[in-house]
Amino acid sequence: MTWENPDTSTSYLLSLQLRRIIFSNRRHYSHVAGYNALIALDRDLIGLDCDEVYPNLYIADKRTAQDIDYLLLLGVTHILNVAQQDIQTAIRYRSHNINYMGIPMQDDIGFQISLYFYITAGYIDRAIKDGGKVLVNCFRGVSRSGAIALSYLMIKHGIGASLALRIILQKRHISPNDGFLNQLSVLDNVLFPSTLLI
């Protein structure tokens, strides 16, 4: 089985299973990363929406990713902006010793996010192995950034898509669009071809 010719029936079934996991997940309150639960009662009120979804890996929305003081408070060393619109953004982070990678991904079911799975997983992995903290952001921190965080866990930690999704959902609500879920299912089928659906 190759990346170009995956078992589409298995990938399709896994994609449906991933969507069921997302819909059955009961969202629970969690405090914003870096804040005491008593202080951060309302994410909108404090203007931050960020969660540590795996050790040293954070997912956040655009507004939070632009708050340099907050990033420094968390100790973020790397930003992976998967909804880049302004190429001047890197300069702002660099002046605070924060490494920046920006990719202009679209949150569209037809967008080929899988083209970026390995390059983004490598970026995250190198940063964390070097003792850094990585914040992945898109506009809302739900679809694109969620898909990229999932692909990192799958590629670099050998975690299947279903378990990776459950791990992240324990910390943050994510919901990659159906096109992204399909591509993650294909990735799962490539990485773990003998895995049975659970």
Side-chain angles (χ1 to χ4, degrees), residues 22 43 46 75 81 85-86 132 152 166:
I22 291 168
R43 290 169 182 251
I46 62 172
N81 178 355
Q85 295 174 334
D86 178 9
Y152 161 72
R166 286 184 176 102

Side-chain angles (χ1 to χ4, degrees), residues 60-131:
D61 66 355
K62 176 182 176 180
R63 181 172 55 173
T64 303
Q66 294 173 340
D67 188 329
I68 297 292
D69 291 334
Y70 178 67
L71 299 177
L72 295 173
L73 171 77
L74 283 181
V76 169
T77 59
H78 292 70
I79 295 284
L80 175 52
N81 178 355
V82 295
Q84 177 175 298
Q85 295 174 334
D86 178 9
I87 59 173
Q88 296 298 320
T89 307
I91 296 167
R92 197 167 135 232
Y93 291 109
R94 195 175 305 126
S95 67
H96 295 281
N97 294 317
I98 298 173
N99 189 293
Y100 178 84
M101 175 187 265
I103 303 172
M105 296 182 185
Q106 302 299 313
D107 189 9
D108 181 273
I109 62 169
F111 184 80
Q112 294 299 309
I113 197 169
S114 60
L115 297 174
Y116 300 97
F117 285 164
Y118 284 91
I119 191 168
T120 56
Y123 178 79
I124 295 167
D125 194 54
R126 281 188 302 278
I128 292 174
K129 283 184 176 173
D130 288 343

Side-chain angles (χ1 to χ4, degrees), residues 1-172:
M1 183 177 321
T2 65
W3 180 256
E4 293 80 21
N5 187 22
D7 180 351
T8 55
S9 62
T10 303
S11 296
Y12 175 73
L13 291 174
L14 179 58
S15 177
L16 291 176
Q17 180 185 19
L18 295 176
R19 183 57 62 204
R20 274 194 304 270
I21 292 168
I22 291 168
F23 285 134
S24 67
N25 180 55
R26 293 183 183 204
R27 251 182 115 174
H28 62 279
Y29 173 81
S30 65
H31 64 280
V32 175
Y35 278 82
N36 180 309
L38 296 176
I39 296 171
L41 296 176
D42 187 335
R43 290 169 182 251
D44 289 329
L45 183 65
I46 62 172
L48 299 170
D49 185 12
C50 179
D51 296 286
E52 186 175 18
V53 296
Y54 202 75
N56 300 314
L57 177 62
Y58 298 82
I59 294 178
D61 66 355
K62 176 182 176 180
R63 181 172 55 173
T64 303
Q66 294 173 340
D67 188 329
I68 297 292
D69 291 334
Y70 178 67
L71 299 177
L72 295 173
L73 171 77
L74 283 181
V76 169
T77 59
H78 292 70
I79 295 284
L80 175 52
N81 178 355
V82 295
Q84 177 175 298
Q85 295 174 334
D86 178 9
I87 59 173
Q88 296 298 320
T89 307
I91 296 167
R92 197 167 135 232
Y93 291 109
R94 195 175 305 126
S95 67
H96 295 281
N97 294 317
I98 298 173
N99 189 293
Y100 178 84
M101 175 187 265
I103 303 172
M105 296 182 185
Q106 302 299 313
D107 189 9
D108 181 273
I109 62 169
F111 184 80
Q112 294 299 309
I113 197 169
S114 60
L115 297 174
Y116 300 97
F117 285 164
Y118 284 91
I119 191 168
T120 56
Y123 178 79
I124 295 167
D125 194 54
R126 281 188 302 278
I128 292 174
K129 283 184 176 173
D130 288 343
K133 293 183 177 182
V134 181
L135 184 140
V136 182
N137 80 280
C138 56
F139 186 72
R140 290 181 37 233
V142 174
S143 183
R144 290 167 280 192
S145 54
I148 292 302
L150 287 167
S151 68
Y152 161 72
L153 292 180
M154 294 168 68
I155 293 166
K156 295 299 183 178
H157 291 278
I159 301 172
S162 295
L163 180 56
L165 180 58
R166 286 184 176 102
I167 288 169
I168 291 177
L169 286 172
Q170 288 177 358
K171 303 290 185 173
R172 180 181 183 85

